[in-house]
Amino acid sequence: MFAHGFRWGTFLRPYRRGLGALAALSLVEIVLRVLAPFALAIVIDSALGTSPLSGWLTRSLDALGLATGRHDLLVIFAVVGLLLQLLHQLVVMFHGQLSVTIGQGMIRDVRERLFAHMQALTLKHHAATPTGEVAQRLEGDTRCIDQLLLRGVFPVAFSALTLLIMFCILVRIDVTLGLLSLSIIPPLYVWLRFYARRMASPADHARRTDSRLSSRLHEIFVSIRLVKSHAREDHEQQRFSRVAGDAAHAWIHVGRQGAVFSIVNGVLTVAGSTLILIIGGVAVLDGRMSIGTLMLVLTYLGYVYGPMQAIANTSGGMQQALASARRIREAFTVVPETLDAPSAIAASGIRGTVAFEDVSFAYVPGMPVLDHVTFTARPGDMIALVGPSGAGKTTLASLLVRFYDATAGTIAIDGVPIEQYRLGSLRQRIAIVLQEAVMMSGTIRDNLRYGCLHASESEMIAAARAANADEFIAQLPLGYDTVLGEAGSGLSGGQRQRLSIARAFLKDAPILILDEPTAALDTISEQQVVDAVRRLWAGRTTFVIAHRLSTVREATRIVVMDKGRITAEGKHDELRRTNDLYRRLASQLTDTPT
Ligand code: ADP
């Protein structure tokens, strides 16, 4: 659905009508632009000069009952010129509005689709991709569709059409002048191609430096605590300045090249105009051409060069837009997280018997992190996972929610391998409470409801109460409407923890994964957290990455892990007698204050 189904055409289809209207408006615009200078030529030749008005114009004026004295002609054609210009401006305005509406619509569509795709990518991919790069793709690169189509293909096509029409008119007026005016086009074209090739790589480089810049920014501010705690502001400032400097240099280079380009462009244009002025001027002096016609030719010439320049100027932007388009295509080719098989079933009815059967896993091929793990947990079980750091406890939990898929073996819930459940539905039935409670910016209510978006007010309050969070929320001046800062700032660690437990209560999932908070919390908060957690795990299939003696004592089963293997299973007292590793680990666990 994602990588293979990606076609730029999909994004155009909804805008077929709009694009049609845009094309029609562009045609009207060209016609008006071609007509407008005629009025001025008539004013110059027939009102200010002495050339007679052409036959059909005289007849038309007569039919309208208008006088054809030179003063009358002056006013009439000045007004006609004005009206044509006004109409032209109006069309330009509508054209602009429609173009922006369509362009932004298409950008939004690409963004939505890309956002959905990015969200669906694996955690592994996200871990390897800087956030800034993702942001750059979504914010910057998605503009390419507008750039390519509405600032590229459309203007170029209509500029070419304008060129053609004006050339035909110029040739009709004076073949020599018409052909001469064209003489500028080959050098301009050669120059254009040269420029496009020269600009491609610097423009791409500049975009990449921008991308690096935003990556750095994200990285620094995500880790701002680390930066401050080590007083590394100066160090980061230097690193940032370097990247910012690179970006500035890259864009200056692009800008300089652009400026040189404009100058050559301008010189070519002026040279062309001067040539026509001299040759046309001679024709006027010799009485072969009227001043009005020369005016017309020069005005058209301006118009002819205009579209040429437009084509030329667009080409730089087009190179960038094409690079963006390539990056977006590339992003869509990254295969997203496990797609549900058509036969995938809902996990909504599961009771929560979890069976690991000979499960192995490696983040990096050849370096197993889990090694033939087999065990079963049933509803009501509280499994304490104990083991030295790096033993694979977190990984084991990650496999259950399919953050990663096992390299070998099967994980089944209620006898069905987890790959056969729809992924979203599976994760809906597993609640996770992490050591470091993750909060979003928004109100406390928004944060609690994240676990169950349609929960009623009373269900939410009941969950908060069960999590010992209701009391402190009630004491806040705005209660549940209190707005949390980013990452839940404004609350203590214990309060955040209790909100995250409340969220799990609200989700009411049969399977629970707890990464037990360590002694980071103060005594009172900790007791409240512990009580809440106990209530939470009752009746569910619970896995606790345990850090407390009291938890392991209460566990229905302790699973001792070491280097990716299960080395022992049992109850606390039994393991303490029989297992050396466990005895050592248990002596390091903190106890719950009473
Ligand atoms: P525990 O939770 O028991 O401390 P983990 O499951 O976090 O252990 O880690 C087990 C091993 O896997 C460790 O050696 C760790 O370095 C490695 N590991 C964890 N996460 C990743 C990852 N995303 N990529 C590569 N290796 C990882």
Side-chain angles (χ1 to χ4, degrees), residues 285-298:
L285 288 177
D286 293 351
R288 282 180 285 118
M289 187 191 273
S290 70
I291 300 180
T293 308
L294 180 62
M295 266 289 310
L296 195 65
V297 171
L298 284 174

Side-chain angles (χ1 to χ4, degrees), residues 363 369 388-395 404:
Y363 289 101
V369 170
S389 177
K393 308 179 292 284
T394 312
T395 305
Y404 303 94

Side-chain angles (χ1 to χ4, degrees), residues 19-33 88 91-92 95 98 154-155 157-159 161-162 165:
L19 291 171
L22 210 56
L25 277 177
S26 303
L27 284 176
V28 175
E29 209 178 307
I30 294 177
V31 170
L32 287 172
R33 188 187 277 180
H88 182 231
V91 173
V92 167
H95 183 272
L98 189 60
F154 255 71
F158 283 96
S159 295
L161 190 59
T162 314
I165 293 175

Side-chain angles (χ1 to χ4, degrees), residues 70-189:
R70 285 173 64 188
H71 284 84
D72 304 309
L73 289 181
L74 172 64
V75 175
I76 292 171
F77 284 98
V79 171
V80 168
L82 175 74
L83 290 179
L84 285 174
Q85 291 287 1
L86 278 180
L87 203 58
H88 182 231
Q89 292 305 323
L90 267 179
V91 173
V92 167
M93 183 189 80
F94 282 125
H95 183 272
Q97 282 179 348
L98 189 60
S99 174
V100 165
T101 313
I102 295 177
Q104 290 303 320
M106 287 192 300
I107 293 176
R108 180 203 53 214
D109 294 351
V110 178
R111 280 193 180 145
E112 278 176 4
R113 181 89 183 269
L114 187 61
F115 182 77
H117 182 77
M118 292 293 209
Q119 275 211 115
L121 295 180
T122 56
L123 278 183
K124 193 166 162 185
H125 180 269
H126 283 296
T129 315
T131 322
E133 203 178 302
V134 177
Q136 176 77 17
R137 291 261 153 103
L138 272 162
E139 288 164 10
D141 288 343
T142 43
R143 289 183 218 280
C144 71
I145 189 162
D146 173 59
Q147 194 83 29
L148 280 176
L149 197 67
L150 299 181
R151 289 164 215 265
V153 175
F154 255 71
V156 167
F158 283 96
S159 295
L161 190 59
T162 314
L163 269 180
L164 188 70
I165 293 175
M166 291 192 179
F167 172 66
C168 292
I169 295 179
L170 281 178
V171 168
R172 270 187 67 107
I173 293 174
D174 188 305
V175 180
T176 325
L177 282 187
L179 290 175
L180 270 177
S181 70
L182 273 193
S183 65
I184 194 75
I185 290 178
L188 211 53
Y189 180 76

Side-chain angles (χ1 to χ4, degrees), residues 123-124 127 361-364 367-370 385-398 404 515 545 547 561 563-564:
L123 278 183
K124 193 166 162 185
F361 177 74
Y363 289 101
V364 184
M367 295 174 68
V369 170
L370 290 180
L385 301 170
V386 176
S389 177
K393 308 179 292 284
T394 312
T395 305
L396 190 112
S398 303
Y404 303 94
D515 195 354
I545 297 172
H547 298 283
M561 296 189 65
K563 300 194 183 83

Side-chain angles (χ1 to χ4, degrees), residues 276 317 344 360 513 531 549 560:
I276 299 296
S360 296
I513 297 171
D531 287 346
L549 205 53
V560 184

